């Protein structure tokens, strides 16, 4: 389910990484995912370290990057040390 703000209503946890995906949202034209990682909770964006800006907290551990955020399916895809991982979706 998506609410009017485009945030997915359920969450999922990836047992191999410990990352939890709470939702996805679109801010302007930037796709973002709401996650909980071993480093804390917040939003991540596509790109190296998943940072959404220069002042954003670093939520992903070293070596992780966000390859894509699929708004329609509620999925994110990571790469670890340039090795693409399987998509991780909200159930």
């Amino acid at each position: 389910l998506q609410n009017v703000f485009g945030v997915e209503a359920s969450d999922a946890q990836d047992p191999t990484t410990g990352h939890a995906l709470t939702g996805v949202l679109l801010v302007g034209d930037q796709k973002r995912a709401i996650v909980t990682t071993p480093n804390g909770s917040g939003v991540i964006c596509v790109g190296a370290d998943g940072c959404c800006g220069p002042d954003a907290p670093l939520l992903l551990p070293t070596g992780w990057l966000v390859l894509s955020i699929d708004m329609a399916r509620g999925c994110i895809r990571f790469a670890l040390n340039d090795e693409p991982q399987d998509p991780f979706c909200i159930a």
Side-chain angles (χ1 to χ4, degrees), residues 11-29:
D11 65 347
Q13 184 162 357
D14 184 340
T16 59
T17 64
H19 299 154
L21 174 61
T22 304
V24 295
L25 63 143
L26 191 61
V27 178
D29 62 352

Side-chain angles (χ1 to χ4, degrees), residues 2-4 10 15 19 22 32 37 45 48 51 54 56 61 76 78 88-89:
Q2 280 189 310
N3 69 22
V4 295
S10 61
H19 299 154
T22 304
R32 298 183 182 197
T37 72
C45 296
C51 286
I76 52 178
F78 293 108
F88 173 45
C89 302

Side-chain angles (χ1 to χ4, degrees), residues 8-85:
E8 291 289 335
S10 61
D11 65 347
Q13 184 162 357
D14 184 340
T16 59
T17 64
H19 299 154
L21 174 61
T22 304
V24 295
L25 63 143
L26 191 61
V27 178
D29 62 352
Q30 186 180 56
K31 297 175 184 179
R32 298 183 182 197
I34 304 167
V35 297
T36 299
T37 72
N39 295 340
S41 297
V43 290
I44 58 173
C45 296
V46 174
D49 301 323
C51 286
C52 294
D55 297 329
L58 185 61
L59 295 174
L60 296 180
T62 302
W64 287 91
L65 68 102
V66 180
L67 292 175
S68 65
I69 299 172
D70 184 332
M71 299 298 296
R73 293 179 44 217
C75 299
I76 52 178
R77 188 157 189 214
F78 293 108
L80 175 57
N81 299 323
D82 296 323
E83 176 91 18
Q85 305 295 302

